[in-house]
């Protein structure tokens, strides 16, 4: 062993010791901080399902590969990080003894081929990720860049070390070959042989490259350990846990049902809840669950969520990525204060650090932690809030962020929790929501209409719509849940009538509840008013359970035309004891077409583009039935660039239907512009909220003469009815007496999130 080997070896060991001490200290602090979150026992099991899904997402890169070329590059970098870690271990011996090779593995041809491929792929993968980041740099694309707001030095540092590690592997092996210290066959190390033949023999170079491998890896560890919020690096370790503990044990993403309101690890019971002791949503960073803290820790700042967010893409201040990173920075800055015992009461008043040894604990806290403890979670710039109210209330809960996140962060759940605190504790929410809450509480629908008018849509039909009157006959297969929009909103009434007529033609036995029906509570829950949601949902569950009394599971069937009603009844009512078999009208109608109970005889023969409702598509994975219905009607389907799981929201979700849109471009206009880009005759959808928003956007464009007057928005059920009935006196079937863009919204409280024609504002 020469002097160089000894000196470099000791330096490597010393740097490694420092790195180990720092990383152990940081991991300990990270675990302690995550445990500050509220308990969440729903994440415990089953082990087999959770572990299997984690392995599938990890090895198969199932979520990363939604962006194929980036996913492939990342997979090779990930494999390189794992496989080459053994190579770094080998380097600790090579720095002292250049001839060293791993026992058993060192001379195994298959292992050498794996190292060869991994080393090359790591270099190429790392370089490709750097190129992608450069091509999408904010200076080039502004808001179009998914990396806007990301920490660039951290990302480039991580990617550069990846490339350097790959170079270290390749260089070391090449010099070992040139020095006759590498004996694997040529087929298992072709690049090593090519480079080795071009390099001079040098055991010193082997030592230097071994030290280079170790030092670059340990410097990486030291930098990462010194930056606890460096998610772009820490996700290599925390992503395994975040995927394992995701909300849905079956591997699905955290969409569909909203997470129940929890306090102390249990669903909150409003009859027994105490605002002084229970947690109502998230009003402070410590109100989030430990899984929330793990989410914040794991964010890689890749910006996939940001790139898909309808709010961000229309100039709103909300970026799901920046929201999560802001919570992360605040959480870890405030953690020392919380770990020392500091706290606030439920009203937000400072309790401070109390108890035995309080002064000593306080003295150990730095000024930053004390300053962070004073910051409100939600507040404008003047209040130094962590999250601006405009950010919080811009969310449409469309789920695009959750769908795209490669490490299973649950953005929508966190946003709803923050809204819950703002609504129920602070009474601080957009003024427009006040009218909606009042209407829901007093009238049972967001429009404030009378329950007796819930059957008004049946008046001009030429057949009788059966209404539930205390008993559900055995031959009735479906309860038709009309929904508030389907009963009161004129455009949605046309969908309701079309579906009723199609069911009548197909001979499907169904009934409606009429005045017994009330709002499912979806807009209240997404707006954060869990109390009103619980009130409405419990009322509906009681009614539905009485309707289906005596019926076996599998025969408690409900069909609905509203994607939001569909989602609530199918996914959320089970939280309150309501278990039903719920189908969307597009699913049922598509089945009836396949069974030949509905036979289209007159093709629509028009160009139609289909808009995926978020609560039908992303939240419930219903993509095919509506499209098959468009095809069955004889229309030519023209897909928009953003469709299926990447569909652009209409702007109505998350109770945005009832809020004014004052910042940036209106989301419905953005979506209508995209739809018009396909040059359609009709824009079809499967949700009354989407229909209202798209119609209003289309009307605005037609008023600006930016769109053809002949384009209209329809439900897919109307397309099918047109094909089945051959039209009605030259008009579209389903009661289309006037163009949708001119339809009146017969409401006491109009949705302020829509733009109505002047004649409809009276």
């Amino acid at each position: 062993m020469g002097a160089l080997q000894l000196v470099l070896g000791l330096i490597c060991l010393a740097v490694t010791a420092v790195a180990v001490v720092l990383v152990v200290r940081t991991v300990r602090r990270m675990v302690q901080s995550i445990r500050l979150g509220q308990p969440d026992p729903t994440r415990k099991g089953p082990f087999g399902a959770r572990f299997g899904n984690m392995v599938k997402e990890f090895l198969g890169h199932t979520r990363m590969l939604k962006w194929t070329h980036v996913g492939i590059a990342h997979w090779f970098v990930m494999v390189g990080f794992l496989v080459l870690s053994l190579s770094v271990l080998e380097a600790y011996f090579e720095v002292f003894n250049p001839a060293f090779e791993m026992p058993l593995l060192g001379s195994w041809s298959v292992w050498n081929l794996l190292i060869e491929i991994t080393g090359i792929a790591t270099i190429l993968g790392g370089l490709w990720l750097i190129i992608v980041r450069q091509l999408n740099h904010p200076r080039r694309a502004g808001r179009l860049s998914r990396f806007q707001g990301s920490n660039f030095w951290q990302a480039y540092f991580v990617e550069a070390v990846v490339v350097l590690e790959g170079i270290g592997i390749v260089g070391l092996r090449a010099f070992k070959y040139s020095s006759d210290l590498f004996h694997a066959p040529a087929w298992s190390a072709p690049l090593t042989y090519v480079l080795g033949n071009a390099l001079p023999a040098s055991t010193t170079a082997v030592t230097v490259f071994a030290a280079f491998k170790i030092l670059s890896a340990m410097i990486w560890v030291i930098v990462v350990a010194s930056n606890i919020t460096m998610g772009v690096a820490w996700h290599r370790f925390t992503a395994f846990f975040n995927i394992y503990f995701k909300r849905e044990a079956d591997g699905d993403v955290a969409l569909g049902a909203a997470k129940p309101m929890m306090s102390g690890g249990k669903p909150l019971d409003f009859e027994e809840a105490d605002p002084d002791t229970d947690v109502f949503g998230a009003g402070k960073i410590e109100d989030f669950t430990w899984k929330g803290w793990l989410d914040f820790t794991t964010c890689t700042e890749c910006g996939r969520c940001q790139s898909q967010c309808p709010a961000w893409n229309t100039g709103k201040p909300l970026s799901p990525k920046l929201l999560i990173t802001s919570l992360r920075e605040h959480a870890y800055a405030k953690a020392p204060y919380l770990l020392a015992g500091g706290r606030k009461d439920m009203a937000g008043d400072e309790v401070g650090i109390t108890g035995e040894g309080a002064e000593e604990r306080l003295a150990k806290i730095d000024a930053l932690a004390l300053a962070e403890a004073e910051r409100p979670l939600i507040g404008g710039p003047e209040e130094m809030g962590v999250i601006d109210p405009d950010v919080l209330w811009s969310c449409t809960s469309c789920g695009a962020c959750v769908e795209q996140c490669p490490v299973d962060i649950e953005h929508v759940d966190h946003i709803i929790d923050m809204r819950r605190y703002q609504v129920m504790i602070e009474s601080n929410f957009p003024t427009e929501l006040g009218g909606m809450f009042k209407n829901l509480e007093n009238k049972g629908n967001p429009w404030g209409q009378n329950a007796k008018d819930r059957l008004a849509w049946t008046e001009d039909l030429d057949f009788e719509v059966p209404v539930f009157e205390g008993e559900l006959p055995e031959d009735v297969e479906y309860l038709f849940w009309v929904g508030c929009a389907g009963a009161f909103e004129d455009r949605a009434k046309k969908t309701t009538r079309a579906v009723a007529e199609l069911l009548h033609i197909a001979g499907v036995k169904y009934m409606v509840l009429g005045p017994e029906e009330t709002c499912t509570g979806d807009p209240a829950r997404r707006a954060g008013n869990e109390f009103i949601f619980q009130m409405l949902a419990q009322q509906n569950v009681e009614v539905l359970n009485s309707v289906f009394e005596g019926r076996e599971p599998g025969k408690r069937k409900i069909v609905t035309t509203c994607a939001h009603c569909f989602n609530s009844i199918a996914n959320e009512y089970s939280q309150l004891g309501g278990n039903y078999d719920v189908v969307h009208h597009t699913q049922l109608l598509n089945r009836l077409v396949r069974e030949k109970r509905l036979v289209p005889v007159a093709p629509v023969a028009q160009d139609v583009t289909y808009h995926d409702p978020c609560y039908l598509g992303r939240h419930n994975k219903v993509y095919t039935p509506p499209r098959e219905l468009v095809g069955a009607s004889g229309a030519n389907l023209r897909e928009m660039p953003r469709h299926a799981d990447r569909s652009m929201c209409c702007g109505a979700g998350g109770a945005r239907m009832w809020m004014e849109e004052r910042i940036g471009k209106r989301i419905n206009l953005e979506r209508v512009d995209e739809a018009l880009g396909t040059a359609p005759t009709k824009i079809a959808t499967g949700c009354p909220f989407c229909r209202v928003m798209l119609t209003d956007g289309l009307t605005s464009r037609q008023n600006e003469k930016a769109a053809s007057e002949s384009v209209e928005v329809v439900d897919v059920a109307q397309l099918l009815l047109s094909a089945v009935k051959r039209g009605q006196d030259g008009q579209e079937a389903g009661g289309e007496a006037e163009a949708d863009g001119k339809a009146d919204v017969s409401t006491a409280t109009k949705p302020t999130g829509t733009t109505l024609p002047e004649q409809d504002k009276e």
Side-chain angles (χ1 to χ4, degrees):
M1 182 189 303
L4 180 65
Q5 284 87 356
L6 181 62
V7 171
L8 286 179
L10 292 176
I11 290 174
C12 288
L13 292 176
V15 173
T16 299
V18 172
V20 169
V21 170
L22 288 176
V23 80
V24 168
R25 184 189 68 178
T26 304
V27 168
R28 184 174 174 227
R29 179 187 163 197
M30 184 180 290
V31 172
Q32 290 175 331
S33 299
I34 290 172
R35 293 179 65 186
L36 288 168
Q38 296 292 313
D40 186 354
T42 65
R43 312 284 178 162
K44 290 183 178 179
F47 172 79
R50 289 186 176 276
F51 186 79
N53 178 68
M54 182 193 72
V55 172
K56 182 181 73 173
E57 286 196 29
F58 160 58
L59 292 180
H61 252 40
T62 53
R63 304 197 58 74
M64 281 296 302
L65 287 171
K66 285 178 175 289
W67 296 37
T68 307
H69 65 91
V70 175
I72 293 172
H74 188 275
W75 189 87
F76 280 114
V77 168
M78 176 201 71
V79 171
F81 177 77
L82 296 174
V83 173
L84 299 185
S85 294
L86 281 175
S87 181
V88 173
L89 176 62
E90 184 180 31
Y92 280 98
F93 297 93
E94 290 172 323
V95 75
F96 291 105
N97 177 16
F100 178 85
E101 63 180 26
M102 292 284 285
L104 301 178
L105 293 178
S107 58
W108 187 24
S109 301
V110 175
W111 171 254
N112 277 288
L113 179 61
L114 176 63
I115 292 293
E116 188 86 355
I117 295 172
T118 303
I120 297 170
T122 298
I123 296 172
L124 296 178
L127 289 174
W128 182 245
L129 293 180
I130 292 172
I131 292 170
V132 167
R133 194 172 296 272
Q134 272 295 302
L135 292 176
N136 292 275
H137 198 285
R139 67 171 176 267
R140 298 171 181 264
R143 269 193 175 237
L144 293 178
S145 169
R146 62 188 174 98
F147 297 117
Q148 187 172 76
S150 297
N151 194 309
F152 270 76
W153 81 260
Q154 293 181 354
Y156 282 134
F157 171 77
V158 169
E159 289 159 356
V161 171
V162 166
V163 174
L164 291 176
E165 280 294 297
I167 292 174
I169 293 291
V170 171
L172 185 145
R173 286 162 61 88
F175 274 110
K176 287 189 77 168
Y177 174 74
S178 69
S179 303
D180 199 27
L181 301 175
F182 186 83
H183 306 106
W187 66 265
S188 67
L191 182 62
T192 295
Y193 274 67
V194 170
L195 293 177
N197 285 322
L199 294 173
S202 174
T203 56
T204 298
V206 174
T207 298
V208 170
F209 266 90
F212 176 80
K213 282 169 57 179
I214 295 169
L215 292 176
S216 60
M218 291 305 107
I219 289 172
W220 183 89
V221 171
I222 289 171
V223 171
V224 171
S226 302
N227 293 272
I228 196 170
T229 59
M230 195 172 178
V232 70
W234 280 110
H235 84 276
R236 292 186 175 192
F237 312 102
T238 61
F240 296 102
F241 301 99
N242 212 52
I243 294 169
Y244 178 85
F245 289 115
K246 67 193 301 184
R247 194 180 79 183
E248 305 299 332
D250 63 0
D252 204 357
V253 293
L255 293 175
K259 187 184 71 170
M261 195 167 175
M262 309 281 284
S263 179
K266 299 178 181 178
L268 193 66
D269 184 342
F270 282 100
E271 293 183 0
E272 300 178 0
D274 183 355
D276 292 329
T277 57
D278 283 309
V279 175
F280 281 68
K284 307 179 293 296
I285 197 67
E286 57 267 33
D287 291 341
F288 290 99
T289 66
W290 61 263
K291 175 55 169 63
W293 282 65
L294 185 57
D295 274 355
F296 309 154
T297 304
T298 307
C299 179
T300 71
E301 302 183 33
C302 68
R304 293 188 181 204
C305 57
Q306 180 174 286
S307 72
Q308 304 299 303
C309 178
W312 179 260
N313 280 296
T314 53
K316 315 293 189 294
L318 169 63
S319 157
K321 174 186 70 179
L322 298 180
L323 179 138
I324 294 296
T325 56
S326 295
L327 291 172
R328 178 181 67 198
E329 299 296 330
H330 174 63
Y332 281 102
K334 187 179 178 181
Y337 172 81
L338 298 173
L339 290 169
R343 64 185 180 88
K344 292 183 178 181
D345 60 24
M346 291 304 297
D349 296 325
E350 190 66 42
V351 174
I353 299 174
T354 59
E356 185 179 351
E359 292 185 5
E360 291 80 1
R361 283 180 279 135
L362 181 61
K364 294 179 181 179
I365 301 174
D366 60 27
L368 176 61
L370 292 173
E372 285 295 324
E374 296 295 324
R375 293 181 67 190
L377 186 67
I378 308 297
E382 67 283 353
E383 302 167 292
M384 299 292 290
V386 179
I387 304 297
D388 191 282
D390 285 332
V391 170
L392 181 65
W393 294 104
S394 290
C395 178
T396 67
S397 71
C398 70
C401 49
V402 180
E403 176 66 35
Q404 287 296 321
C405 182
V407 292
D408 289 303
I409 292 172
E410 298 161 7
H411 314 73
V412 174
D413 283 345
H414 302 322
I415 288 172
I416 290 176
D417 269 342
M418 287 187 281
R419 287 182 173 185
R420 284 166 169 164
Y421 185 87
Q422 292 301 301
V423 170
M424 291 187 287
I425 300 299
E426 297 288 343
S427 295
N428 187 8
F429 47 83
T431 55
E432 304 95 338
L433 290 179
M436 184 195 73
F437 291 152
K438 183 178 180 180
N439 288 336
L440 288 174
E441 195 166 8
N442 297 333
K443 296 288 189 176
N445 68 85
W447 277 276
Q449 296 294 289
N450 295 319
K452 64 181 178 62
D453 295 326
R454 279 191 175 268
L455 289 172
W457 62 272
T458 66
E459 292 174 358
D460 57 354
L461 293 175
D462 56 7
F463 59 91
E464 183 179 354
V465 174
V467 182
F468 178 77
E469 295 180 346
E471 184 177 352
L472 194 68
E474 283 296 322
D475 64 341
V476 172
E477 186 177 5
Y478 286 96
L479 180 71
F480 182 9
W481 185 274
V482 176
C484 301
F488 299 123
E489 205 281 324
D490 279 1
R491 285 162 283 194
K493 286 180 185 178
K494 297 170 184 176
T495 302
T496 308
R497 288 194 290 266
V499 171
E501 192 165 357
L502 285 166
L503 295 180
H504 176 72
I505 293 171
V508 176
K509 298 292 185 180
Y510 69 93
M511 274 190 168
V512 299
L513 286 176
E516 291 293 310
E517 191 177 295
T518 192
C519 180
T520 59
D522 164 83
R525 185 169 230 193
R526 267 68 196 175
N529 199 326
E530 186 73 8
F531 177 80
I532 290 181
F533 167 76
Q534 295 277 345
M535 179 188 74
L536 295 170
Q538 287 174 356
Q539 178 181 334
N540 283 328
V541 167
E542 289 177 9
V543 170
L544 290 172
N545 284 347
S546 67
V547 169
F548 290 119
E549 187 175 4
R551 288 213 171 184
E552 300 175 357
K555 294 185 178 180
R556 300 155 67 92
K557 298 181 180 180
I558 298 173
V559 59
T560 182
T561 60
C562 177
H564 297 261
C565 295
F566 170 66
N567 180 70
S568 292
I569 301 173
N571 299 321
E572 297 181 333
Y573 278 21
S574 58
Q575 299 169 3
L576 302 170
N579 296 287
Y580 317 107
D581 300 290
V582 189
V583 295
H584 190 256
H585 72 284
T586 58
Q587 295 174 298
L588 177 56
L589 295 178
N590 194 45
R591 195 189 79 195
L592 294 174
V593 170
R594 292 199 308 268
E595 293 174 352
K596 306 299 183 183
R597 294 170 69 180
L598 290 173
V599 182
V601 293
V604 172
Q606 293 177 327
D607 293 321
V608 175
T609 190
Y610 174 70
H611 164 79
D612 288 277
C614 300
Y615 275 83
L616 182 63
R618 263 190 302 271
H619 282 273
N620 287 284
K621 308 296 185 289
V622 180
Y623 300 113
T624 304
R627 288 175 167 79
E628 290 186 349
L629 284 180
V630 172
S633 72
N636 175 39
L637 178 63
R638 295 188 173 189
E639 293 282 13
M640 287 183 255
R642 290 176 286 191
H643 63 275
D645 63 349
R646 295 196 187 183
S647 178
M648 172 77 172
C649 181
C650 73
R656 288 296 320 178
M657 175 88 166
W658 315 99
M659 290 181 257
E660 190 53 77
E661 199 169 340
R662 299 183 178 91
I663 304 174
K665 183 180 180 180
R666 298 177 70 85
I667 294 174
N668 62 336
L669 291 181
E670 174 77 7
R671 188 55 168 167
V672 163
D673 288 344
E674 187 171 4
L676 293 175
T678 67
T681 304
K682 286 182 172 61
I683 303 171
T685 188
C687 172
F689 285 16
C690 294
R691 183 171 182 173
V692 168
M693 299 299 284
L694 295 174
T695 299
D696 291 340
L698 181 62
T699 301
S700 295
R701 287 298 184 239
Q702 288 173 339
N703 289 342
E704 297 168 4
K705 302 301 181 183
S708 169
E709 293 287 346
S710 63
V711 179
E712 61 177 334
V713 182
V714 297
D715 190 274
V716 290
Q718 293 172 272
L719 288 176
L720 180 63
L721 185 57
S722 297
V724 169
K725 290 194 68 177
R726 295 180 178 270
Q728 295 179 337
D729 298 328
Q731 297 178 357
E732 293 296 332
E736 295 290 349
E738 55 184 344
D740 282 337
K742 304 299 182 183
D744 179 42
V745 183
S746 53
T747 71
T749 302
K750 294 184 176 68
T752 55
T754 62
T755 302
L756 304 178
E758 288 299 318
Q759 63 266 36
D760 289 339
K761 293 183 179 179
E762 298 299 321

